[in-house]
Amino acid sequence: MHDRSRLRNDPDFYIKAIARKRMAAPIELLLQLDAEWRAVRTALEADQAEMNRASRSIGALLGQGKKDEAETAKQKTAELKARIAVQEERARELESELRSLELSIPNVPHPSVPDGAGEQDNVQVRTFGEPPVFDFEPKPHWEIAEHLGIIDFAAGSKISGSGFIIYKGLGARLQRALIYFMLHEHTEKHGYTEIYPPYLVNRGSMTTTGQLPKFEEDLYVMERDDLFLIPTAEVPVTNLHRDDILDASQLPIRYAAFSGCFRREAGAAGKDTRGLLRVHQFDKVELVKIVAPETSYDEMESLTQDAESVLESLGLHFRTMEMCTAELSFSNTKQYDLEVWAPGVGKYLEVSSASNFEDFQARRGEIRYRPGPGEKPKYAHTLNASGVACPRLMAAILETYQRQDNSVFVPPPLQPFMGTDSISA
RNA sequence: GGAGAGAUGGCAGAGUGGUCUAAUGCGGCGGUCUUGAAAACCGUUGGCCGACCUGUCGGCCCGGGGGUUCGAAUCCCUCUCUCUCCGCCA
């Protein structure tokens, strides 16, 4: 959501900036309704002021026992009352239309974001390590995992449907090790506070972070209760401070949260159907920051590095890509994706997406802070990054550390949790 | 799931139809006193929106929404949440 008065004063800025994202927004319509709304408000408030005066004087007359005069005064308010009712009704209609229009307008890209029309225009900002070299043909992770008996794809489909995974034995343990390792890195080394959030959230929470109202078809919905399964811990964690006015001394707030994540992946049918590349339920450690505006782009860099450090510690080759304008999401202004190399499938896999939302989510959720004593509250900036998503990370580990004899080396940071340095059949 | 009670400012807590423009206390902030601090005393104390003569005026906010009334924190309806008891349950 954007600042209404900035939209009024400089609509062209928003129209052009949103066009850079290859999106469109009904800004003229919004401004037209806004102008009508303000006119109605002004007239309404004048009438309300008059009604307040009239009521007070009726009270005074009754206090003096002047019943007849009070009755006469009451009659006179009828017309005013009717006019107020009509204006209130119109104002309510306009407010609800304005609200839904505002919620449907995307955030604007930061000026530093490279212009582009698609994936091919993303910019590589750095890489870590080198693709591993094999003296045999590296296998995709689903072959490795099935051979080792650590993932049962068929059972997942039987129990729930395609895109649901059963991890078994050392596979399940590897999953647990990754979660433990990542949480440990972020809480002990990077100063994040651990949060364990609910998996079901209400409509208001989904609206704050931007999944609603536009992307309901991507979510699993519990209709009876009007609750939604979270697609990422970003949703409950960002909403921790919904409707709060934080003290400046509390900022920056840094949270690390493990959760399951649930995505319908509507519209992605047929894409990346094999193995762990695209699943309906997955585990992830998510990093969320709530910060003062002047620090948010610095915080975004350190946030991205905190996510990168997970991949570095595991010795995986990856690249950090800056998304071009067309590849940004609805809610963010700037985005880095971390793509880890998976030699078996021969592709870079997106395991993390770091975003700055500036005050876009904060406005939707009324997340504010007071810059100093006696100062007016301001909207905070919110950011998040995966730190990182488990299934594709596991795919990259299995494929990177596979050996010709079908065993898989366990990278050193995971060995204490795994109790072994090798997974073999 | 059943029965009951409740939701008021940063916190505690009064207010049951008309100077409520929300008492009082605590806390916070400023000041007086003091070498300094404490105590005492004095003052002060939120959010949102609109209008324009940009400093003032006006409107809204007592859990959310709707209603009754000239007038609602107060009465009615409804939703949400909290607490107590009962039932069920990992």
Side-chain angles (χ1 to χ4, degrees):
Chain A
M1 212 157 87
H2 297 293
D3 182 346
R4 188 85 70 86
S5 69
R6 274 200 66 192
L7 270 167
R8 279 174 203 145
N9 294 333
D10 198 0
D12 281 354
F13 165 79
Y14 288 93
I15 291 165
K16 285 181 183 146
I18 290 166
R20 281 228 302 148
K21 269 193 172 182
R22 309 301 192 265
M23 294 179 184
I27 288 173
E28 283 96 345
L29 176 59
L30 183 131
L31 291 179
Q32 201 181 312
L33 293 175
D34 175 64
E36 188 187 346
W37 173 74
R38 278 185 294 160
V40 171
R41 287 291 306 181
T42 306
L44 170 62
E45 283 171 18
D47 286 345
Q48 281 173 329
E50 196 182 332
M51 185 62 115
N52 288 343
R53 282 192 292 274
S55 290
R56 255 175 264 138
S57 68
I58 289 169
L61 289 172
L62 288 172
Q64 296 158 19
K66 297 176 179 169
K67 273 196 166 179
D68 292 348
E69 283 179 52
E71 273 312 310
T72 315
K74 276 193 204 181
Q75 315 280 327
K76 283 187 188 164
T77 62
E79 190 195 337
L80 194 55
K81 199 187 175 189
R83 205 160 64 205
I84 287 172
V86 169
Q87 289 173 127
E88 276 177 342
E89 176 62 26
R90 183 61 185 150
R92 260 201 294 275
E93 278 170 23
L94 288 165
E95 276 156 25
S96 116
E97 286 175 49
L98 282 167
R99 169 92 183 154
S100 64
L101 276 178
E102 278 180 319
L103 290 176
S104 76
I105 294 176
N107 204 350
V108 298
H110 189 266
S112 69
V113 174
D115 202 82
E119 210 180 318
Q120 68 282 357
D121 297 318
N122 295 337
V123 175
Q124 180 175 305
V125 293
R126 59 188 160 263
T127 62
F128 177 83
E130 296 291 333
V133 178
F134 295 88
D135 52 13
F136 59 94
E137 184 66 25
K139 296 189 188 69
H141 62 277
W142 54 86
E143 284 181 23
I144 301 165
E146 283 186 325
H147 184 269
L148 292 171
I150 59 173
I151 296 181
D152 189 337
F153 292 101
S157 300
K158 176 175 69 182
I159 295 165
S160 303
S162 76
F164 292 91
I165 307 298
I166 309 289
Y167 300 93
K168 284 197 330 199
L170 284 177
R173 189 162 188 161
L174 178 56
Q175 173 87 350
R176 180 158 55 89
L178 287 172
I179 294 161
Y180 198 99
F181 165 68
M182 292 191 284
L183 280 174
H184 185 81
E185 290 286 298
H186 297 310
T187 58
E188 300 302 313
K189 297 188 182 166
H190 305 146
Y192 290 75
T193 301
E194 186 170 346
I195 300 289
Y196 183 74
Y199 286 17
L200 287 167
V201 301
N202 59 31
R203 204 166 272 281
S205 296
M206 284 292 186
T207 304
T208 297
T209 39
Q211 282 76 19
L212 293 180
K214 283 195 92 170
F215 306 104
E216 185 157 352
E217 72 274 15
D218 296 335
L219 301 170
Y220 286 103
V221 187
M222 310 308 213
E223 273 187 35
R224 281 176 81 131
D225 302 290
D226 205 27
L227 292 171
F228 302 83
L229 271 170
I230 56 173
T232 158
E234 167 199 354
V235 178
V237 174
T238 304
N239 275 279
L240 273 173
H241 294 293
R242 176 143 57 103
D243 297 325
D244 279 356
I245 298 174
L246 300 157
D247 194 86
S249 65
Q250 293 174 263
L251 306 181
I253 291 171
R254 301 186 177 97
Y255 290 130
F258 159 75
S259 84
C261 301
F262 302 87
R263 299 185 180 180
R264 290 189 65 236
E265 299 294 347
K271 259 192 260 176
D272 300 329
T273 48
R274 303 226 43 192
L276 296 173
L277 297 185
R278 187 176 296 276
V279 292
H280 290 305
Q281 175 187 329
F282 62 96
D283 285 345
K284 178 160 65 64
V285 170
E286 183 74 5
L287 306 175
V288 172
K289 287 187 178 183
I290 299 175
V291 308
E294 55 277 12
T295 67
S296 76
Y297 283 92
D298 288 341
E299 292 283 355
M300 185 179 186
E301 295 303 318
S302 67
L303 175 68
T304 308
Q305 283 162 24
D306 291 337
E308 287 171 345
S309 82
V310 168
L311 304 177
E312 287 179 21
S313 301
L314 295 172
L316 298 169
H317 167 57
F318 68 91
R319 61 184 192 187
T320 301
M321 305 292 290
E322 171 159 19
M323 296 296 103
C324 71
T325 51
E327 294 284 297
L328 296 178
S329 76
F330 175 78
S331 300
N332 65 16
T333 61
K334 188 179 180 77
Q335 178 179 340
Y336 293 120
D337 280 2
L338 307 193
E339 299 182 347
V340 67
W341 176 246
V345 295
K347 281 199 260 191
Y348 283 97
L349 307 178
E350 181 194 331
V351 287
S352 176
S353 188
S355 287
N356 192 346
F357 304 96
E358 295 193 9
D359 63 8
F360 187 82
Q361 295 181 327
R363 285 177 184 280
R364 294 173 156 241
E366 291 294 324
I367 303 169
R368 290 176 290 175
Y369 75 105
R370 199 178 298 282
E375 288 186 56
K376 283 241 153 204
K378 285 173 65 176
Y379 289 106
H381 281 194
T382 60
L383 303 94
N384 69 50
S386 325
V388 300
C390 289
R392 292 175 186 168
L393 177 62
M394 190 182 292
I397 289 171
L398 295 176
E399 294 184 9
T400 297
Y401 292 113
Q402 63 180 302
R403 300 186 183 110
Q404 188 152 24
D405 67 357
N406 286 311
S407 69
V408 173
F409 172 70
V410 175
L414 301 177
Q415 289 172 8
F417 309 114
M418 291 297 285
T420 178
D421 61 4
S422 179
I423 305 172
S424 45

